[in-house]
Amino acid sequence: QVQLVESGGGSVASGGSLRLSCAASGVDFSSSCLGWFRQAPGMQRNWIATSYRDNSRNHAQYVKGRFTVSKDIAKNTLYLQMDSLKPEDTAMYYCAAGPWIHDNCEWTYWGQGTQVTVSS
């Protein structure tokens, strides 16, 4: 059974930093896509970053230079380091995992989310 549990969210002032963690069980970190998404109230869920099975990674343009995805395979944990936070980064943050199928990540499993609030 796959379980993804996010932690590390909270309230921070603009310009501050947070590190989110996603503890995974039942997921093979060496063969899965691992990613972060976020959703603000009334908005669609947006992709933030992906860590691929070959250890490469990709970030959405709107977070490049501020957010960094990483993983610790020994701990089965995915991280999102968030620096220079802005009020518009306020959202519920979700981690996701899934297989690589037909040159795409299929986001099959989702965590319950962790709230990030950035005040101006």
Side-chain angles (χ1 to χ4, degrees), residues 81-118:
Q81 177 66 41
M82 305 188 295
D83 299 317
S84 302
L85 283 161
K86 306 174 183 180
E88 51 263 44
D89 294 319
T90 295
M92 186 71 79
Y93 284 68
Y94 299 90
C95 71
W100 176 256
I101 297 178
H102 302 309
D103 296 331
N104 278 297
C105 292
E106 186 160 309
W107 301 110
T108 307
Y109 307 104
W110 294 84
Q112 82 291 346
T114 186
Q115 178 68 38
V116 172
T117 302
V118 184

Side-chain angles (χ1 to χ4, degrees), residues 2-74:
V2 174
Q3 190 173 19
L4 303 174
V5 180
E6 302 95 335
S7 62
S11 296
V12 63
S14 182
S17 298
L18 285 172
R19 188 176 81 153
L20 305 184
S21 299
C22 174
S25 58
V27 176
D28 183 354
F29 264 42
S30 62
S31 64
S32 299
C33 292
L34 305 164
W36 288 99
F37 293 75
R38 72 186 189 186
Q39 187 170 21
M43 305 293 284
Q44 67 181 14
R45 186 171 297 187
N46 290 324
W47 169 73
I48 299 170
T50 301
S51 175
Y52 297 95
R53 56 184 181 171
D54 63 355
N55 295 321
S56 64
R57 51 193 181 184
N58 197 15
H59 299 80
Q61 189 63 41
Y62 66 90
V63 301
K64 275 186 179 177
R66 300 192 300 124
F67 292 11
T68 304
V69 64
S70 63
K71 62 187 176 186
D72 186 329
I73 294 176

